[in-house]
Amino acid sequence: VQLQASGGGLVQAGGSLRLSCAASGRTFSNYVMSWFRQAPGKEREFVAAIRRSGGSTTYADSVKGRFTISRDNAKNTVYLQMNSLKPEDTAVYYCAADRSLITTAQSDYRLYDYWGQGTQVTVSS
């Protein structure tokens, strides 16, 4: 599956952004979809994941209550709504897909088969 992330940009602290990740090439609804981020000099970290039907979501503690992951299987797209942004949210955000990850494994970036190209999010203080 091919993934194309978009929606990043520059925003002031407290602001909002909505990231999108469009998928093509395979049956989108068969894939667990996740967002990761990577700041300069840091390891890629898990942000959020959503199961195939969209009925179950998981978030990193650092974004709980501020970020919302959702998916539209009819549009082959996964979204990340980011509210109350903080400077420490600044990073390149990546979407990722995998067909078979169990819930307890979905936060491990090394296990994903497919990645988007990343979109830069910069939050100014």
Side-chain angles (χ1 to χ4, degrees):
V1 62
Q2 293 78 46
L3 303 175
Q4 180 74 34
S6 61
L10 173 64
V11 64
Q12 289 188 330
S16 298
L17 281 174
R18 187 195 197 202
L19 305 184
S20 299
C21 176
S24 61
R26 300 283 184 179
T27 304
F28 178 71
S29 60
N30 287 342
Y31 290 83
V32 174
M33 299 298 299
S34 295
W35 289 95
F36 289 79
R37 66 187 181 187
Q38 189 165 18
K42 294 188 177 182
E43 191 174 15
R44 192 166 296 191
E45 66 171 349
F46 172 77
V47 175
I50 187 165
R51 305 301 292 178
R52 297 172 185 83
S53 67
S56 176
T57 57
T58 306
Y59 297 92
D61 288 343
S62 58
V63 307
K64 278 181 183 176
R66 299 189 298 123
F67 291 10
T68 302
I69 188 171
S70 61
R71 67 191 296 162
D72 186 335
N73 286 343
K75 295 183 178 179
N76 291 351
T77 303
V78 63
Y79 305 98
L80 186 68
Q81 178 67 44
M82 304 186 295
N83 299 329
S84 302
L85 282 161
K86 305 175 181 180
E88 51 264 43
D89 294 318
T90 295
V92 177
Y93 283 71
Y94 298 90
C95 56
D98 196 272
R99 287 198 63 177
S100 59
L101 286 179
I102 61 175
T103 303
T104 53
Q106 62 193 10
S107 62
D108 187 343
Y109 71 89
R110 298 167 297 179
L111 300 179
Y112 283 78
D113 289 334
Y114 304 100
W115 290 88
Q117 85 287 4
T119 184
Q120 176 71 47
V121 172
T122 302
V123 184
S124 63
S125 57

